[in-house]
Amino acid sequence: MAHTNKNHVESFPPGKKITIVFVIGGPGSGKGTQCAKIVKQFGFTHLSAGDILREEAKSDTEQGTMIKNLMHEGKLVPSDLIIKLLLKAMLESGNDKFLVDGFPRNEENRQAYENIIHIEPEFVLFIDCSKEEMERRILNRNQGREDDNIDTIRRRFDVFQQSTLPVIQYYEKKGKLRKVDGTRQVDEVFEDVKAIFAQLNNQENHAAQQASGLSTAQINPLKRWFFDFFCGCCGTQEARNCVKMKVTWCVCV
């Protein structure tokens, strides 16, 4: 659950389960493309830190001008501002599952996020891609972005390498890093990504079943006899299969 800071940061409702996955990769690694596929198949809301900042940079405000200048110079925007904008977008979405793309970019981002939002990511998806391939993709995508010129691109590469590597190493030590080879074709990369998110879905479904279902260890002997008499699968793998397949005649469901 998020907590407020001195500038009053809004928070999620108490007790609400919020799922957050960070998606990290260099500029041009394919983060946005993979996130779009994850959204379509798994129902997440995709929040790109870069897109949110670029949108804010268009605003005719002192904050927008500051963000625009920093991005043009290939520098990083202050962490508390990024987090404030991300949290605002999360709350406005109405969803409870988020892909945060391009964040955290450095240890300051990570620490500020933990201090303000207090929701640990389920895992961090790292799309690993060579510098040469990322540069080729950016120069070919022709999106008209102000930061898509060769000098700024190379500065962004350097910033990513220097700043984001410690974040990757931090989550790897915690066992939360999920790394995929981003140099391949989009659909090939997504096969690996899909398997990672399918595993997360299975874990969440299993936890929900445990939370809502009766444990056979909690059933008194009379009830256990009743279940065993009418359905011999109680407490077995067959019972778990019945739950999974929604077999309505099984009393274990």
Side-chain angles (χ1 to χ4, degrees):
M1 180 180 72
H3 293 273
T4 58
N5 66 8
K6 63 182 179 180
N7 294 318
H8 183 62
V9 177
E10 295 293 334
S11 62
F12 292 101
K16 184 177 179 64
K17 166 64 176 172
I18 303 297
T19 300
I20 294 178
V21 173
F22 293 151
V23 183
I24 295 178
S29 61
K31 300 186 301 295
T33 301
Q34 293 302 319
C35 284
K37 288 179 168 291
I38 295 166
V39 167
K40 184 175 181 180
Q41 183 144 346
F42 296 100
F44 279 72
T45 291
H46 174 210
L47 299 174
S48 165
D51 287 350
I52 290 173
L53 290 173
R54 278 185 286 274
E55 189 64 29
E56 187 69 17
K58 294 177 184 177
S59 64
D60 188 20
T61 63
E62 182 179 349
Q63 177 174 281
T65 301
M66 178 191 71
I67 292 172
K68 181 179 180 180
N69 291 338
L70 288 171
M71 294 177 68
H72 184 71
E73 295 168 8
K75 297 180 180 178
L76 298 177
V77 177
S79 298
D80 58 345
L81 177 55
I82 299 173
I83 294 165
K84 178 182 176 181
L85 293 172
L86 280 172
L87 184 56
K88 180 174 180 288
M90 288 181 186
L91 293 169
E92 289 177 349
S93 75
N95 200 353
D96 56 7
K97 299 194 300 182
F98 302 98
L99 298 171
V100 184
D101 166 5
F103 182 90
R105 293 192 176 186
N106 55 35
E107 278 290 280
E108 183 191 359
N109 279 178
R110 180 188 65 76
Q111 292 170 7
Y113 168 87
E114 292 178 355
N115 291 336
I116 295 172
I117 297 186
H118 293 273
I119 302 175
E120 189 166 353
E122 296 294 327
F123 57 82
V124 176
L125 178 65
F126 174 38
I127 303 179
D128 191 20
C129 193
S130 69
K131 181 177 179 179
E132 293 75 19
E133 177 62 17
M134 289 189 288
E135 183 175 315
R136 184 191 66 79
R137 291 175 181 178
I138 292 175
L139 292 175
N140 288 340
R141 69 187 180 186
N142 191 27
Q143 291 181 346
R145 281 169 41 176
E146 292 188 18
D147 55 350
D148 275 1
N149 62 74
I150 190 65
D151 291 334
T152 302
I153 288 169
R154 288 175 177 169
R155 283 199 298 270
R156 289 166 65 199
F157 287 151
D158 292 340
V159 169
F160 174 79
Q161 184 67 28
Q162 295 167 11
S163 301
T164 310
L165 185 58
V167 176
I168 293 169
Q169 293 172 336
Y170 172 84
Y171 285 113
E172 186 172 27
K173 289 178 181 177
K174 296 191 71 173
K176 285 184 171 288
L177 190 70
R178 307 290 184 269
K179 181 177 176 180
V180 297
D181 178 5
T183 61
R184 299 168 297 165
Q185 294 297 312
V186 170
D187 289 340
E188 293 177 328
V189 177
F190 188 60
E191 284 303 309
D192 288 350
V193 171
K194 185 165 58 175
I196 292 169
F197 279 83
Q199 184 179 27
L200 174 62
N201 264 5
N202 290 339
Q203 291 171 349
E204 291 181 341
N205 291 340
H206 180 66
Q209 288 175 4
Q210 285 187 322
S212 61
L214 283 174
S215 168
T216 56
Q218 296 173 319
I219 301 174
N220 66 43
L222 181 61
K223 288 183 178 178
R224 178 59 185 266
W225 173 87
F226 177 83
F227 286 159
D228 286 345
F229 181 81
F230 285 98
C231 178
C233 72
C234 189
T236 66
Q237 179 62 46
E238 287 79 4
R240 291 187 285 273
N241 290 340
C242 287
V243 171
K244 183 177 180 181
M245 297 175 65
K246 301 187 184 328
V247 180
T248 56
W249 50 262
C250 175
V251 297
C252 294
V253 177

